[in-house]
Amino acid sequence: MADCTGEEIMTELLSHLKFDSAREQILKECICIPCMLPYITSQFLTRGPGDRPQVVPEITSNLAFIGQFAEVPDDVVFTVEYSVRTAQTAVYKLLNIDKEPTPMYHGDHHPGVLFDAMKTMLR
């Protein structure tokens, strides 16, 4: 797959989906840009603004990125909640639902958590 063109990948996908009769029309009108998935450890690399796409990019009205490699400000990757928040964000924005994703628990600001951490460090 690493050596395939976008057209070859799309042709394979359309075949699996049994879109044979519409294949030529779809191939004329679609854009498929092959890319490789990042290594699993890449989630933990430092990142800056623009390294990951917004869940719903400003220029789109029917496209969203969900999962660990979409940007959720002030959140922590590698949790199920992160993926859930990206999906919630996508659904709420694309369907114009006036709701916010489940808020992140900020335990690092909770006095009890900070006190317990201090006790542990002083042992």
Side-chain angles (χ1 to χ4, degrees):
M1 288 299 288
D3 294 331
C4 289
T5 67
E7 183 176 358
E8 291 168 333
I9 292 170
M10 196 63 169
T11 299
E12 181 76 12
L13 174 64
L14 294 172
S15 175
H16 285 288
L17 295 174
K18 301 191 184 321
F19 285 1
D20 297 325
S21 61
R23 183 178 64 215
E24 294 304 318
Q25 183 65 29
I26 293 171
L27 287 174
K28 269 195 283 185
E29 296 181 19
C30 76
I31 298 170
C32 180
I33 302 170
C35 62
M36 299 299 288
L37 288 173
Y39 291 112
I40 187 67
T41 55
S42 65
Q43 292 181 17
F44 305 110
L45 296 173
T46 57
R47 65 183 201 256
D51 286 349
R52 296 177 183 198
Q54 295 299 312
V55 174
V56 179
E58 292 178 21
I59 61 171
T60 66
S61 60
N62 63 352
L63 171 77
F65 296 98
I66 61 172
Q68 299 292 311
F69 293 98
E71 184 61 46
V72 178
D74 301 319
D75 207 336
V76 179
V77 298
F78 206 66
T79 63
V80 172
E81 291 82 4
Y82 192 95
S83 294
V84 169
R85 274 188 280 281
T86 61
Q88 288 176 327
T89 300
V91 169
Y92 298 158
K93 283 190 176 186
L94 293 175
L95 297 178
N96 293 319
I97 297 173
D98 189 26
K99 286 179 78 174
E100 292 293 320
T102 305
M104 187 175 127
Y105 172 69
H106 292 281
D108 58 331
H109 299 294
H110 190 275
V113 172
L114 295 172
F115 181 72
D116 289 343
M118 185 63 85
K119 284 192 319 188
T120 301
M121 289 177 12
L122 295 175
R123 286 188 203 174

